[in-house]
Amino acid sequence: MSLHPQSQALLDALAAEEGLSLPGDLDRIRAEAHDAALRADRIGLDHVADVDADGVPCRLYRPRPGAPVALYVHGGGWVLHDLETHDVFCRYLAHRTGWALLAVDYRRAPEHPYPAPLNDVQTAAAWIRAHDREHRVDASFLPGIGDSSGANLIAGLCVRHPSALDFQVLMYPPVDRRAELPEDEANAALDGPGMEWFWEAYAPGDLGDHPEVSVLGADNLAEHPPAYVVSNEHDVLRDQAEDYAARLAAAGVDVLAHRALGMVHSFWRQPAAFDASRSTVTAVGALLDAQRSRMR
């Protein structure tokens, strides 16, 4: 299938931007994305607050008192993005699904490579389990939601501590450091060299082979919680994300896998630009509700 017109529009917009490159322009890229996010319109919720999760800065989004809560881990190659760049989307996700979110401001590579980001995600998950009632949310059933590198961190947490989460939503996750990345001239949202740089920033050298990093090779997949795995048709991570879903299923894990036709990397967190984002958010909300009902 060809690129969806909305995907093409994103690629055209990216191509028109001033050329910045990693690693030389890392600070500027971070700062510009952060500042642009602060200027964006956002949905009001019942309660939004920055919290300290045992030393890990997080932001709690609560659409209503007593809402079930999910852990949210943002993407950006373990290097880019922060609470502000994902604030608009997290508000939208909480509003549309009725689920509260604890968004994790984990330490970023390359300043803080593996295992620091994963340690922060683990700490935040344990903290919300212990402190949900005082923040008027319900973590008795705790899903993890991650996009791209954030999905890798959710999956890595399940390798480290399979009972840390009760469900995992993995949006186009990178799961195999040594995978040969396919060439896709139609996709400029994420290219092979860029992904290689992100991998090396997060898990340099032999660290990339650790099963908490290259989760595709983990030997405890049968212990993992149920999962929803989304891949993009036009994405260098497509094949490994789908391989991971198949490995989980073969290990006996309850898995739903979905290839977003015509989509490119990052579509999920852009509901204003992608119809598929809005429909996938609706699907995630319904799936979380159903899984929570089953587990109660």
Side-chain angles (χ1 to χ4, degrees):
M1 182 176 175
S2 61
L3 277 169
H4 191 284
Q6 292 170 340
S7 294
Q8 187 62 61
L10 173 65
L11 300 187
D12 291 344
L14 291 174
E17 291 180 354
E18 181 181 357
L20 297 175
S21 61
L22 295 169
D25 297 309
L26 176 57
D27 290 343
R28 183 178 172 188
I29 292 170
R30 285 174 172 171
E32 289 187 358
H34 181 94
D35 292 346
L38 292 176
R39 296 191 295 269
D41 294 333
R42 60 205 68 226
I43 294 172
L45 295 173
D46 170 69
H47 180 74
V48 178
D50 290 340
V51 296
D52 183 327
D54 286 339
V56 178
C58 296
R59 184 168 294 169
L60 182 67
Y61 300 87
R62 191 181 69 206
R64 59 177 174 81
V69 64
L71 191 73
Y72 195 92
V73 185
H74 70 76
W78 306 277
V79 169
L80 304 173
H81 303 318
D82 55 26
L83 293 180
E84 298 303 339
T85 61
H86 277 62
D87 183 74
V88 169
F89 177 69
C90 283
R91 288 170 181 266
Y92 176 84
L93 182 60
H95 174 70
R96 293 296 298 172
T97 64
W99 279 72
L101 302 172
L102 183 70
V104 186
D105 194 17
Y106 57 87
R107 289 169 289 175
R108 293 175 299 184
E111 299 91 338
H112 303 283
Y114 169 83
L118 183 56
N119 291 346
D120 291 348
V121 172
Q122 181 180 14
T123 298
W127 180 87
I128 194 60
R129 291 272 202 194
H131 296 275
D132 58 340
R133 290 191 177 186
E134 65 192 74
H135 293 280
R136 304 180 71 186
V137 295
D138 181 5
S140 58
F141 173 83
L142 181 64
I145 305 172
D147 65 273
S148 192
S149 57
N152 171 272
L153 292 170
I154 291 292
L157 178 57
C158 292
V159 172
R160 176 180 291 185
H161 188 9
S163 62
L165 300 169
D166 298 304
F167 190 78
Q168 46 185 332
V169 176
L170 308 177
M171 293 290 162
Y172 33 87
V175 293
D176 184 2
R177 170 68 183 90
R178 306 305 172 190
E180 183 176 347
L181 299 177
E183 295 183 5
D184 186 351
E185 294 181 0
N187 172 44
L190 177 68
D191 60 21
M195 190 64 227
E196 287 289 343
W197 187 85
F198 286 131
W199 272 123
E200 193 63 18
Y202 174 54
D206 292 344
L207 287 177
D209 298 315
H210 197 288
E212 293 178 357
V213 175
S214 288
V215 295
L216 187 68
D219 60 7
N220 67 341
L221 296 183
E223 303 170 25
H224 287 211
Y228 176 43
V229 182
V230 175
S231 59
N232 306 310
E233 182 178 16
H234 300 282
D235 191 343
V236 295
L237 300 178
R238 182 194 65 203
D239 294 345
Q240 61 185 274
E242 293 176 3
D243 287 347
Y244 189 58
R247 291 275 186 93
L248 287 170
V253 177
D254 180 8
V255 179
L256 175 64
H258 161 205
R259 178 187 287 189
L261 298 179
M263 291 296 104
V264 294
H265 199 81
S266 82
F267 88 92
W268 151 255
R269 64 182 182 88
Q270 301 187 66
F274 288 95
D275 297 334
S277 169
R278 298 191 293 275
S279 62
T280 304
V281 164
T282 300
V284 166
L287 188 56
L288 293 183
D289 288 343
Q291 289 287 331
R292 182 169 180 257
S293 295
R294 287 176 57 188
M295 299 289 287
R296 291 174 68 86

